[in-house]
Amino acid sequence: MTRTKVGVSIQSPSIFLDDRTVVLSEGIARKWKVSSNQPITLRFGSSLHDVRVITAKVSNCLRVDSKLANRLGLHQGAKVNLHYKQQANTLSVGPLIGVMISRVYAGSPSRPFGAITAFCRELTTACEQVGAVVYFFPPKEMHANAQSIAAHSYSGGSWTKKTFPIPNVIYNRLTSRRYENMPNVQQFLKDAKTNHGTQIFNEKYLNKTEVFDALRKDSSLHRYLPESHLFKNYAMLRSMASRHPVLFLKPITGSLGKGIIRIRREGDVFTAHSTTLSGVRRQTFPSLSAAFQALAGKLRAQRYQIQQGLNLITAEGNPIDFRALVQRGATGQWEITSIVGRIAGSQHFVSNLARGGSLSTVPAALARAGFSPENRVAIKRRMRKAALDIAKGVETQIQSHFGELGIDLAVDTSGKVWLLEVNSKPSKDDNTALNADKKIRPSVKTLVKYARYLAKF
């Protein structure tokens, strides 16, 4: 297979150019041995067109007529990769990448996707630089047996909606389990895989019970796993409390620190801290059974994971944890993109930025916790190994396709690294190295590299 990056030139139909003819640079045609004026299959995503190739003395260019360009969703000046398979007599354009987003705000042309719009622009720029085409589409545009999709793309300084073929690769950025589980969404994804060979990554949300139950099957990962179970009843709470002075109860599908409960035994008294919309609620109880009775209504309202509390490192008394962004890159292998420290805000026991937490570099966070320079280097090395080990464990033990994972790690006061949770929809603001410039982030570049790898471009 041969490949090169070209610019797309769209022209009005003429006696030399129509929707069954494309013009290819003479040098590329000669190098790939593409016969002039012979039928060939032009492929873009799921779209296949029988065309004739004619050559012209132009540099790195694919010239198409406006009717064909509209059918494909190509815009003037688009940068794309071409590759040619001589045996199949197929000239492929792409890769074509589709991104599932939760909603489109029709009344906001400058921010059509709300808070994720800036990320979508950044991803578009990253794709342009490597010769990929990306578009964005919400659940309402997904239909069974679709041969094309109405989606949004950015070109010429604005967002436009037009029709595209089904893409080579789909990246799931839906931010709601409700959207993800809609029947039309699930059927669309099934059909895209089956009918068009589309590769889909970050296929689904993970829940805390699923992750810990899966990773427990791999004995090499036990060193990272605090004791953790799906919460069932008071007997389980009492049993866990007999072994651990601090316990956490976390909604198994929760995010942003919502609904977390911490129970701490202090002598004969039990103190429960709960995250609320306004901050943290503190309650004191004379017994564990009294604490359970007070919390029973909340614990019945949704499913919780009960987890061993850890003696976490702190900065001026505020707990510290770490978010590792682990992604697959150009070769399909897991790699560490970034690790950042997250320091809980004053009066909080969770570190999420949405609850007043702040970001720090790993060395700075470990220094504030009192570790020596030598220990900081060793702990960071252990965190990197843990994050990669856990990502590979998720890949092996959970039957879904993930291209990136946000892995939340903790370090206890002895320097031991623990897993807190795994997030299959890591935030694009909360997990990247600290910098104030406007360059394309490494995490975004890596996403595009992996999409190219999946699309075989």
Side-chain angles (χ1 to χ4, degrees):
M1 182 183 77
T2 47
R3 175 180 62 223
T4 194
K5 182 178 169 184
V6 302
V8 174
S9 174
I10 300 173
Q11 297 187 355
S12 300
S14 68
I15 59 173
F16 301 108
L17 187 65
D18 56 29
D19 64 345
R20 297 179 302 277
T21 306
V22 298
V23 178
L24 184 63
S25 298
E26 192 176 78
I28 295 174
R30 187 185 310 114
K31 179 180 178 181
W32 292 351
K33 298 182 173 60
V34 181
S35 300
S36 185
N37 275 309
Q38 295 298 313
I40 195 173
T41 299
L42 181 72
R43 179 169 190 159
F44 185 52
S46 65
S47 182
L48 299 171
H49 294 275
D50 293 326
V51 297
R52 287 185 309 115
V53 172
I54 58 177
T55 61
K57 291 183 178 180
V58 291
S59 176
N60 288 352
C61 180
L62 178 70
R63 191 177 296 163
V64 299
D65 94 311
S66 54
K67 186 176 178 182
L68 178 58
N70 287 336
R71 201 176 301 157
L72 296 175
L74 288 170
H75 64 267
Q76 184 74 263
K79 302 296 183 185
V80 296
N81 284 290
L82 300 180
H83 73 220
Y84 178 59
K85 292 184 178 178
Q86 191 171 31
Q87 288 184 329
N89 198 32
T90 299
L91 182 66
S92 295
V93 181
L96 182 59
I97 304 167
V99 180
M100 297 161 62
I101 55 170
S102 293
R103 60 184 67 84
V104 176
Y105 299 92
S108 181
S110 62
R111 295 181 78 242
F113 318 130
I116 202 173
T117 303
F119 164 71
C120 295
R121 278 282 291 112
E122 188 178 1
L123 185 58
T124 299
T125 303
C127 285
E128 289 171 348
Q129 290 182 357
V130 300
V133 177
V134 63
Y135 60 72
F136 306 86
F137 58 101
K140 70 176 184 178
E141 303 295 351
M142 304 180 208
H143 307 290
N145 296 311
Q147 301 301 309
S148 61
I149 190 162
H152 292 75
S153 64
Y154 191 87
S155 63
S158 64
W159 293 98
T160 56
K161 184 179 181 181
K162 53 188 174 182
T163 301
F164 290 89
I166 305 302
N168 303 107
V169 177
I170 291 175
Y171 171 40
N172 179 1
R173 280 304 307 180
L174 295 179
T175 54
S176 160
R177 289 175 173 84
R178 180 171 63 85
Y179 289 141
E180 196 169 82
N181 294 324
M182 289 170 67
N184 66 303
V185 172
Q186 289 300 311
Q187 190 61 52
F188 171 81
L189 294 177
K190 180 180 177 182
D191 292 342
K193 283 184 187 178
T194 304
N195 300 338
H196 306 295
T198 300
Q199 295 279 345
I200 303 165
F201 68 94
N202 284 44
E203 289 181 275
K204 66 169 190 173
Y205 272 97
L206 293 168
N207 73 55
K208 295 173 180 65
T209 301
E210 177 184 24
V211 168
F212 277 87
D213 287 354
L215 297 182
R216 205 175 288 120
K217 296 174 184 176
D218 185 339
S219 59
S220 71
L221 300 176
H222 288 181
R223 73 186 85 165
Y224 306 125
L225 304 180
E227 187 176 1
S228 185
H229 310 281
L230 178 64
F231 180 75
K232 294 180 179 177
N233 49 38
Y234 175 68
M236 177 179 279
L237 178 64
R238 185 177 59 198
S239 175
M240 286 284 284
S242 71
R243 294 190 294 279
H244 309 294
V246 178
L247 298 174
F248 279 85
L249 288 152
K250 302 177 180 180
I252 68 167
T253 59
S255 61
L256 302 177
K258 295 175 184 173
I260 294 177
I261 303 166
R262 182 182 70 186
I263 299 176
R264 182 189 296 276
R265 184 177 70 241
E266 299 169 326
D268 295 328
V269 175
F270 290 83
T271 302
H273 288 85
S274 308
T275 57
T276 67
L277 291 175
S278 58
V280 175
R281 183 185 184 193
R282 183 179 186 274
Q283 296 170 282
T284 301
F285 303 97
S287 66
L288 184 63
S289 61
F292 176 72
Q293 291 299 322
L295 299 170
K298 181 178 287 190
L299 296 176
R300 281 195 296 265
Q302 59 182 313
R303 291 188 297 166
Y304 277 77
Q305 186 81 357
I306 187 168
Q307 193 171 95
Q308 167 192 352
L310 302 168
N311 190 16
L312 296 187
I313 60 174
T314 62
E316 295 80 49
N318 298 315
I320 301 171
D321 66 23
F322 300 87
R323 165 61 66 89
L325 179 63
V326 189
Q327 296 178 292
R328 297 181 195 260
T331 63
Q333 302 301 308
W334 289 107
E335 56 191 59
I336 304 286
T337 301
S338 64
I339 305 180
V340 295
R342 302 186 304 183
I343 302 172
S346 179
Q347 307 303 314
H348 283 267
F349 63 94
V350 294
S351 63
N352 304 75
L353 300 191
R355 297 188 174 275
S358 59
L359 290 181
S360 168
T361 64
V362 173
L366 294 175
R368 289 178 67 181
F371 287 107
S372 68
E374 295 79 10
N375 283 335
R376 290 174 223 160
V377 171
I379 292 169
K380 185 172 182 179
R381 188 184 305 117
R382 290 199 290 272
M383 280 196 283
R384 293 179 66 87
K385 176 172 170 49
L388 288 173
D389 288 348
I390 291 162
K392 291 170 185 174
V394 169
E395 174 189 357
T396 302
Q397 302 296 339
I398 297 177
Q399 299 306 304
S400 288
H401 181 180
F402 300 102
E404 65 175 357
L405 296 167
I407 298 178
D408 290 347
L409 301 171
V411 176
D412 68 21
T413 52
S414 72
K416 180 176 168 58
V417 176
W418 298 85
L419 172 66
L420 294 179
E421 60 184 75
V422 178
N423 186 340
S424 62
K425 303 293 179 71
S427 162
K428 292 302 150 190
D429 297 316
D430 189 24
N431 58 12
T432 51
L434 304 178
N435 63 70
D437 60 33
K438 299 297 183 182
K439 294 178 181 177
I440 297 172
R441 289 170 287 180
S443 60
V444 178
K445 292 180 180 179
T446 303
L447 280 173
V448 178
K449 289 176 184 176
Y450 186 53
R452 287 183 67 185
Y453 166 82
L454 289 177
K456 297 181 171 61
F457 267 85

